[in-house]
Amino acid sequence: MPSFMLNCSQLISADNPFIDELPLWIGSSGKTVIKSPNCSPKQRKTLCRRITEPQRTTTVENMAEKIYLLAYHVLFIMFVWAYWQTIFTKPLNPLKEFHLSHSDKELLEREDRGESQQEILRRLAKDLPIYTRTTSGAIRYCDRCYVVKPDRCHHCSVCDKCILKMDHHCPWVNNCVGFSNYKFFMLFLTYSLLYCLFVTATDLQYFIQFWTNGLPDTQAKFHIMFLFFAASMFSVSLASLFAYHCWLVCKNRSTLEVFRAPAFRHGTDKNGFSLGVSKNFRQVFGDEKKYWLLPVFTSLGDGCSFPTCLMNPDPEQPASPSGNAAIKSDGETHLFPAKPLRESQSRLLSNGLSWAESEGTGNKDCQGTINPAMTMEKET
């Protein structure tokens, strides 16, 4: 065969017209050429590498491409996981201790006067860990669910249920965002923002080529333009929403509490539940750092009772059986919740110095006044 007479220098030369056909021909009798006496060991090694290497343009051999694919799929999987958890995690409702019994319902319905109804609710709520009131000082009660509302609990008109630590009802996930899935919602915003930023950054070079006529004249270039605009616009909207909810986490507030500050016996206090940035963050994401970035439930507490930062004790709340006492630090008095908390909540109260907000604006506006109005008031 004439090809056997070619020496190695001819085989590996750049202008050899047969070099592109060598891999196909070598497949059946490659050893004959490689072991040709005309080939030196160095030329034989070069020839083997030239023949057996796959084309770089059709394989994922480049390290940058591997990193790109790995980062893309990690962000995509975490985004879908967090989105799934946010959608399908059922919002928690108040515990049975907050529900009225059948006899209490009938007794409450028979009373026509608001003051009499309020007296009944006060009797039912005296053993419950409740600190918040309506703006008029009445016990928070839901006449649709027949429950004495726990702190930070609100009735969702879409779900027609009382949701623990309700933040808002989100149409994008078709679910209420509250105590049970607020961490998942935060991670959903985090990974969706990172995903959109990643797509925007990797598509930028091709978007520039589109305007400089550096791309082939095919329909694919319009797909690149649409992808860049969609990813960049979603990035802007998600960044603003993510920043807003990060601020809420640091302040230990919900969206509803921003529009209407929680009311206590001494009056409204927008920072009533704030324990400091660090403990506020841990209340949502938990104490275990290894789970902070995973869409698994690690929030502290039970959703019905929360550590509060109160200047004045509530005279209607009895002392805790475990020895409820006030903690004084820097001239302020901070009270433990009346009902003993589970261990995860108690850890939030372990350091009295961390009760105040880091900015020092915690409760300067609290006057300690009590609104004597006891008219019946229903909230949503």
Side-chain angles (χ1 to χ4, degrees):
M1 207 179 278
S3 300
F4 284 119
M5 304 305 296
L6 296 174
N7 58 35
C8 287
S9 59
Q10 291 175 315
L11 286 173
I12 63 177
S13 62
D15 57 349
N16 180 14
F18 303 103
I19 191 64
D20 293 332
E21 300 180 6
L22 277 176
L24 299 177
W25 177 75
I26 291 298
S28 59
S29 56
K31 293 182 180 180
T32 305
V33 175
I34 294 174
K35 292 183 178 181
S36 173
N38 297 326
C39 294
S40 65
K42 182 177 181 181
Q43 289 175 325
R44 190 180 301 119
K45 183 177 180 181
T46 304
L47 180 61
C48 289
R49 184 172 63 252
R50 179 78 178 273
I51 294 173
T52 58
E53 273 193 344
Q55 295 295 324
R56 294 280 183 178
T57 57
T58 58
T59 60
V60 189
E61 293 284 335
N62 193 293
M63 183 59 67
E65 293 177 349
K66 291 181 178 180
I67 296 175
Y68 168 83
L69 290 175
L70 178 62
Y72 174 85
H73 285 92
V74 168
L75 289 176
F76 180 75
I77 292 173
M78 297 303 294
F79 159 70
V80 173
W81 187 7
Y83 190 45
W84 178 277
Q85 289 285 73
T86 307
I87 294 175
F88 293 103
T89 298
K90 184 179 179 181
L92 291 181
N93 309 119
L95 300 176
K96 62 180 181 179
E97 290 84 358
F98 295 86
H99 288 259
L100 270 65
S101 63
H102 182 70
S103 59
D104 291 330
K105 293 178 187 177
E106 292 182 346
L107 181 61
L108 192 65
E109 291 173 352
R110 284 199 300 264
E111 296 291 342
D112 295 331
R113 296 185 307 164
E115 292 183 1
S116 300
Q117 291 178 334
Q118 195 59 211
E119 287 295 331
I120 297 174
L121 293 177
R122 290 177 62 190
R123 175 179 57 82
L124 297 175
K126 67 178 182 178
D127 295 327
L128 298 175
I130 296 176
Y131 284 105
T132 55
R133 298 289 188 269
T134 64
T135 54
S136 64
I139 299 294
R140 301 172 64 243
Y141 170 73
C142 179
D143 60 346
R144 296 182 63 87
C145 301
Y146 299 103
V147 298
V148 176
K149 291 183 181 179
D151 293 343
R152 316 186 79 175
C153 175
H154 298 275
H155 185 88
C156 177
S157 58
V158 179
C159 301
D160 197 23
K161 295 179 182 179
C162 283
I163 308 300
L164 295 181
K165 196 187 176 183
M166 179 179 174
D167 188 88
H168 68 287
H169 186 92
C170 182
W172 299 106
V173 299
N174 193 30
N175 197 5
C176 261
V177 178
F179 174 77
S180 61
N181 62 349
Y182 189 65
K183 177 191 175 183
F184 306 148
F185 179 74
M186 286 296 300
L187 292 179
F188 160 64
L189 293 180
T190 302
Y191 290 119
S192 58
L193 175 59
L194 291 177
Y195 181 76
C196 290
L197 290 175
F198 182 81
V199 173
T200 303
T202 54
D203 191 43
L204 179 61
Q205 58 176 327
Y206 303 104
F207 181 75
I208 296 175
Q209 292 179 15
F210 172 84
W211 295 106
T212 58
N213 296 323
L215 294 177
D217 191 14
T218 62
Q219 292 183 350
K221 65 180 184 179
F222 296 103
H223 299 167
I224 292 176
M225 181 179 66
F226 173 79
L227 178 63
F228 180 83
F229 277 118
S232 57
M233 287 187 295
F234 272 108
S235 298
V236 173
S237 59
L238 286 170
S240 59
L241 185 60
F242 174 73
Y244 173 70
H245 278 276
C246 286
W247 178 78
L248 290 180
V249 170
C250 294
K251 296 292 185 179
N252 203 343
R253 302 178 195 170
S254 65
T255 301
L256 294 177
E257 291 169 351
V258 170
F259 290 99
R260 183 170 59 187
F264 299 88
R265 291 282 298 179
H266 62 266
T268 58
D269 185 357
K270 62 181 180 179
N271 295 316
F273 293 105
S274 182
L275 311 178
V277 175
S278 176
K279 292 190 176 183
N280 293 342
F281 180 86
R282 285 164 50 198
Q283 194 174 93
V284 175
F285 288 88
D287 291 326
E288 298 290 337
K289 295 182 180 180
K290 60 183 178 181
Y291 296 123
W292 284 356
L293 299 180
L294 297 179
V296 293
F297 183 79
T298 56
S299 300
L300 303 182
D302 57 5
C304 290
S305 58
F306 297 89
T308 57
C309 183
L310 300 179
M311 291 187 65
N312 295 333
D314 191 339
E316 294 184 4
Q317 292 294 340
S320 172
S322 60
N324 188 14
I327 296 179
K328 296 183 179 180
S329 63
D330 300 332
E332 294 183 351
T333 301
H334 310 292
L335 193 66
F336 284 96
K339 184 178 180 180
L341 302 175
R342 61 176 61 177
E343 182 183 356
S344 59
Q345 286 180 299
S346 299
R347 286 197 297 270
L348 289 172
L349 307 174
S350 59
N351 186 4
L353 296 176
S354 299
W355 280 99
E357 284 283 354
S358 58
E359 296 87 349
T361 60
N363 295 296
K364 293 182 180 180
D365 298 330
C366 296
Q367 302 298 325
T369 58
I370 298 177
N371 192 335
M374 294 304 298
T375 57
M376 187 71 173
E377 180 174 334
K378 302 179 180 64
E379 294 185 339
T380 57

